[in-house]
Amino acid sequence: MMEPLWKLMYLLEPASLTLIGTAIMVTFVSASRALQYGKEMERNRDFSEASITLDQSQALMIPLASSCSLLLMFYLFSSVSYVVTAFTTIASAFALFFCLSPYVAYVKAQLGLVDPFVSRCCSKLVTRTQWLLIVLCVGTVFAWLVSGHWILNNILGISICIAFVSHVRLPNVKICALLLVCLFVYDVFWVFFSERIFGANVMVSVATQQASNPVHTVANSLSLPGLQLITKKLEMPVKLVFPRNLLGSGVSQSGSMEYMMLGLGDMAIPGMLIALVLCFDYRKSKELGVPSDASSNRRQKYAWYAIFGYAIGLITALAAGILSRSPQPALLYLVPSTLGPVIFLSWLRKDFMELWEGPMSNPNEKTRLMEV
């Protein structure tokens, strides 16, 4: 039964507005960081950390692999929770380091600081500032392990999203459309139809599961002091979480914390599309000799249309959840609202085939990259 339309006023609550604003910001920042990372790789000719460009078979495999992971987590989560936590901890530390490195480098350049190499780690030279940043990232992850605080959870989740969008790229709109349509079907099936087959909503069950905290387990086995300060369960940083009562205690009458949630995939997948059109805008600006930050460059509007579509799709998804009083597959709304405007606008501007097929590679450059 549908709720009255006045219930949509919930969208104006602080938690809802914060979730919407944060998701839009993270999606745009992820795409922008992907563009900057591509420029860095091109400028430095450093292919040791080259990003992964998806092909058709990989785009098809992602929904299948995600489905297998969902089922594994659904049936065996208690058995693999420590492994998942360990992997997430390592990935979060690397992602946070990746996200903070450009800002540290900028501040260092502005202050004119000398930052000599002091040691070697993983076959790479590491400066003193980088070591300090590593300590900061490890400390942040450890603080999350101890406290499980939702703000730290969000920081790590945002870092993972930005790092993923920067390193996993789409070559053209054809592969992008294939991936988005497949994930569209994936999201709809696991949210709307999985309960009929598996007896429970698999997507919601996995999204709301909490992992056992290995730090608490070790502290408990060693009878360490301060055990009561270490959380027993952890929310994995694979989603944004905001307390519904954001400006209050956030504790319901039952004594538990109630959250609004949005999966990282609902930001990362549209972010990959926005990164693709941002790169297209940048390449066209270079070809036309127009500065990339020129407001008169009409081709930049591809990214802005996609961002605007993302905002509309996200608000629609939240509104549908409020009116239907049931979880909604966000990609059901985000895929049409982001991919649709890009395809329609490119067709009007006669850029469709170039976006659909992607830029033509230079054969000599391709050969050199294969040798590397």
Side-chain angles (χ1 to χ4, degrees):
M1 181 178 178
M2 298 291 284
E3 293 281 355
L5 290 178
W6 66 265
K7 293 285 187 179
L8 291 179
M9 293 298 292
Y10 288 139
L11 291 174
L12 300 179
E13 291 183 343
S16 300
L17 293 176
T18 305
L19 176 64
I20 293 170
T22 303
I24 294 172
M25 179 198 69
V26 171
T27 304
F28 179 73
V29 170
S30 298
S32 302
R33 181 69 178 103
L35 175 62
Q36 295 301 322
Y37 184 61
K39 291 179 183 179
E40 292 170 14
M41 296 299 99
E42 181 181 357
R43 182 169 58 252
N44 299 330
R45 297 297 180 182
D46 179 10
F47 298 98
S48 59
E49 298 182 10
S51 57
I52 301 171
T53 301
L54 298 181
D55 57 23
Q56 183 173 332
S57 61
Q58 291 170 330
L60 289 171
M61 284 300 298
I62 286 179
L64 295 176
S66 299
S67 297
C68 293
S69 299
L70 267 183
L71 288 176
L72 177 67
M73 299 288 282
F74 181 67
Y75 286 112
L76 301 174
F77 183 76
S78 58
S79 302
V80 301
S81 63
Y82 287 143
V83 176
V84 172
T85 303
F87 176 81
T88 303
T89 299
I90 296 171
S92 299
F94 277 104
L96 188 59
F97 180 86
F98 173 81
C99 294
L100 294 180
S101 292
Y103 301 102
V104 173
Y106 175 79
V107 171
K108 186 173 63 177
Q110 292 297 313
L111 298 178
L113 299 176
V114 178
D115 190 22
F117 296 108
V118 294
S119 62
R120 181 179 294 272
C121 180
C122 300
S123 73
K124 289 189 175 183
L125 294 173
V126 183
T127 66
R128 184 182 294 106
T129 303
Q130 288 174 327
W131 272 118
L132 292 175
L133 182 57
I134 290 172
V135 171
L136 173 64
C137 295
V138 172
T140 302
V141 173
F142 183 75
W144 165 72
L145 282 172
V146 171
S147 67
H149 199 279
W150 63 270
I151 293 179
L152 295 174
N153 182 91
N154 288 352
I155 291 173
L156 299 182
I158 289 170
S159 301
I160 292 174
C161 181
I162 294 173
F164 177 83
V165 175
S166 299
H167 287 87
V168 182
R169 296 170 176 269
L170 297 167
N172 51 49
V173 169
K174 178 170 63 177
I175 302 297
C176 179
L178 176 64
L179 176 64
L180 264 63
V181 169
C182 289
L183 289 174
F184 174 96
V185 175
Y186 156 87
D187 213 18
V188 170
F189 172 78
W190 288 110
V191 173
F192 285 153
F193 301 105
S194 62
E195 188 170 359
R196 302 179 185 179
I197 301 174
F198 301 99
N201 191 316
V202 176
M203 182 73 80
V204 174
S205 298
V206 172
T208 55
Q209 282 177 331
Q210 292 183 320
S212 298
N213 188 353
V215 175
H216 183 276
T217 302
V218 172
N220 187 37
S221 63
L222 297 177
S223 300
L224 296 179
L227 182 63
Q228 68 278 5
L229 301 177
I230 304 176
T231 181
K232 292 183 179 180
K233 297 290 185 177
L234 284 170
E235 292 279 358
M236 291 291 98
V238 294
K239 55 185 177 290
L240 291 182
V241 292
F242 291 96
R244 289 188 178 276
N245 188 8
L246 188 61
L247 301 181
S249 65
V251 179
S252 65
Q253 294 179 352
S254 62
S256 61
M257 188 81 76
E258 295 183 352
Y259 292 102
M260 293 191 67
M261 301 181 182
L262 182 70
L264 291 191
D266 300 325
M267 297 179 290
I269 302 305
M272 294 170 71
L273 168 62
I274 297 171
L276 173 64
V277 295
L278 267 180
C279 291
F280 180 81
D281 292 336
Y282 172 72
R283 188 174 67 253
K284 281 297 180 182
S285 298
K286 289 180 63 177
E287 291 176 359
L288 297 174
V290 179
S292 59
D293 58 347
S295 59
S296 60
N297 185 9
R298 69 181 181 91
R299 296 189 180 275
Q300 279 192 301
K301 292 183 180 178
Y302 281 119
W304 294 116
Y305 272 89
I307 286 288
F308 180 74
Y310 178 80
I312 295 298
L314 181 59
I315 294 171
T316 304
L318 294 177
I322 292 172
L323 295 177
S324 65
R325 292 188 293 179
S326 63
Q328 295 292 307
L331 292 181
L332 171 64
Y333 309 93
L334 294 175
V335 169
S337 66
T338 52
L339 186 61
V342 170
I343 291 179
F344 180 71
L345 190 62
S346 64
W347 178 74
L348 286 180
R349 295 180 176 174
K350 304 187 185 326
D351 288 333
F352 176 74
M353 288 310 300
E354 188 174 357
L355 265 171
W356 184 256
E357 296 294 341
M360 298 299 293
S361 301
N362 184 338
N364 295 329
E365 179 69 9
K366 185 176 180 180
T367 301
R368 192 182 68 81
L369 291 179
M370 289 177 65
E371 291 174 354
V372 173

